[in-house]
Amino acid sequence: MSTAVAIALMLGVLCYAVFAGADFGAGFWDLTAGGAERGRGPRAVIDHSLGPVWEANHTWLIYCLVVFWTGFPATFADVMRTLYLPLGLAALGIVLRGSGFAFRKAVQATSHQRLAGAAFAASSVVTPFFFGTVAGALASGRVPGPAVTSWINPTSLLGGVLAVAVCAYLAAVLLTADAPAALTAYFRKRAWIAAWTTGVLSIAGIVVLRLDARRIFDRLLGPALPVALVSLVAGLLALVLLRRVSARLVRLLAGLAVAALVVGWGVAQYPYLLGTHARITDVAAPHSTQVALIVIVAVAIALVGPSFALLYTLQQRHLTEE
C-alpha cells in the first residue's frame, strides 16, 4: 500500500511538472520577448494561452503537499526542516507571479504594467529554479541536512537550471502550436534553442551526477534508462513534427517528454524517498491512513479529473473567456 501512496504522490509531481511547467516556461519567454513594441505579439500569445488555466495548475501543488504530509509525515518534516529556504522562495515566486500576471492587466499606468509584467516574468524563472534545487537535494540524498548546502551544491544547481530549461522547451512547443501563423516561426525557433540547451545541460548533468550523486547516476543508466530514452525520443519527435502534424499530437509528445523525465527520476529514486535512508515502506504512515488516503485520492481524481479535461478542451478550442 505504501508503494501505491508513493505512486499517487509521483502522479501529482508529474502533473505539476507538465501543466505548471508549461506556464512557468511561458513566463520565461515573456521575460525574454524584448521591449514593449517588439514583445507585444509574443506576449499576447502567452497571455491568451495562460489566461484560462494558469491558476488551476497549482491544484497539483496542493495535491502533492497533502499526499506527502499525510502519507509520509516524518519524511515531509525532514524535507521542510532542511529545504525551507528554497521552498519558501519558490512559494514567494508563485505569489509574485500570480500577482504580476493579474495586475498587469488591471493597472492603467505604463510604468505599473511594466513592473507587474517584470514580476510575473522573473518569478516564472525563479520558481522552477528553486523547485529544481529541491529535486536535486532529494535526488542526491542531502535531506535531512544543513539548511544551505543541502540545496546549494552541484546536483541541486543542475536541477534548478535544468528545470528552467525544460519548462522553456515545453512552453515553446505548446506556444508554437497555439500561435498564429505570423508567430509560428518565432516560437519554433525558441523551441529548438530550448531543446538544444536542455540537451547540453543533460549531457553535462551526467558528469555532475556521476561525481556528486552516484546512486542516481547508476540507476538512471540502469532501471530508469528505458524511461529516459522515451523522454529523449518524444522530445525530439515533438520538434521534428512541429510544422508537419496536428498541434494536438505535438502537445502530447512534448508533454510525454517531460512526464517521462519525471517518471525516470522516480524510478531511479525507488524504493527510497530520500537518498538511501528513507525507504518507502519504512517511512510511510500507518496502514489505515494509507488506505484512507488512496480512497480519497481516487475520489478526488474522479471528481476533479473531468473538470480539468473540460477546462483544457475548452481552452484549446478557444471557447473560454479571460
Side-chain angles (χ1 to χ4, degrees):
M1 185 60 69
S2 58
T3 300
V5 175
I7 292 173
L9 176 59
M10 179 55 64
L11 175 63
V13 173
L14 187 154
C15 289
Y16 192 64
V18 173
F19 296 118
D23 283 358
F24 290 137
F28 175 87
W29 298 120
D30 187 295
L31 180 65
T32 58
E37 291 301 321
R38 180 184 175 187
R40 188 183 304 277
R43 289 191 177 101
V45 177
I46 291 168
D47 282 354
H48 180 269
S49 295
L50 294 187
V53 298
W54 67 278
E55 188 66 13
N57 291 325
H58 293 305
T59 301
W60 299 111
L61 179 60
I62 303 303
Y63 168 94
C64 291
L65 291 174
V66 172
V67 173
F68 194 9
W69 83 51
T70 306
F72 307 98
T75 306
F76 179 84
D78 286 338
V79 170
M80 292 301 162
R81 280 195 296 261
T82 302
L83 300 175
Y84 62 88
L85 285 173
L87 288 171
L89 291 170
L92 178 62
I94 290 174
V95 173
L96 291 177
R97 182 177 183 273
S99 301
F101 187 74
F103 282 112
R104 76 171 176 179
K105 297 182 179 182
V107 296
Q108 301 299 320
T110 302
S111 59
H112 294 167
Q113 290 177 347
R114 289 176 178 172
L115 180 61
F120 161 72
S123 298
S124 297
V125 176
V126 169
T127 302
F129 173 81
F130 285 120
F131 277 136
T133 63
V134 169
L138 298 178
S140 58
R142 289 182 164 92
V143 180
V148 177
T149 57
S150 60
W151 63 279
I152 300 180
N153 57 74
T155 302
S156 292
L157 295 178
L158 167 69
V161 176
L162 189 59
V164 174
V166 169
C167 291
Y169 157 77
L170 178 59
V173 172
L174 299 184
L175 289 169
T176 301
D178 282 345
L183 287 171
T184 299
Y186 174 93
F187 285 111
R188 185 187 297 124
K189 177 181 178 180
R190 280 147 182 79
W192 277 98
I193 293 173
W196 280 107
T197 302
T198 303
V200 170
L201 288 171
S202 298
I203 294 172
I206 293 175
V207 178
V208 172
L209 290 179
R210 190 178 189 279
L211 296 175
D212 192 55
R214 187 57 187 261
R215 180 181 181 274
I216 290 294
F217 170 82
D218 292 337
R219 297 278 294 176
L220 284 174
L221 295 182
L225 183 59
V227 186
L229 292 177
V230 169
S231 177
L232 175 63
V233 172
L236 291 176
L237 278 177
L239 289 173
V240 172
L241 299 178
L242 263 177
R243 67 176 70 188
R244 301 182 182 181
V245 298
S246 70
R248 181 177 299 178
L249 177 58
V250 170
R251 291 189 188 101
L252 289 175
L253 287 171
L256 176 61
V258 177
L261 185 66
V262 175
V263 172
W265 170 40
V267 172
Q269 191 77 21
Y270 186 81
Y272 300 95
L273 281 182
L274 305 175
T276 57
H277 54 273
R279 185 179 291 270
I280 291 172
T281 53
D282 296 336
V283 298
H287 181 75
S288 58
T289 302
Q290 297 177 46
V291 173
L293 184 58
I294 289 297
V295 171
I296 292 171
V297 166
V299 172
I301 292 175
L303 292 175
V304 177
S307 300
F308 268 95
L310 178 61
L311 174 62
Y312 287 117
T313 299
L314 294 176
Q315 192 268 345
Q316 294 301 322
R317 294 180 180 179
H318 308 291
L319 297 176
T320 56
E321 295 182 359
E322 297 185 14

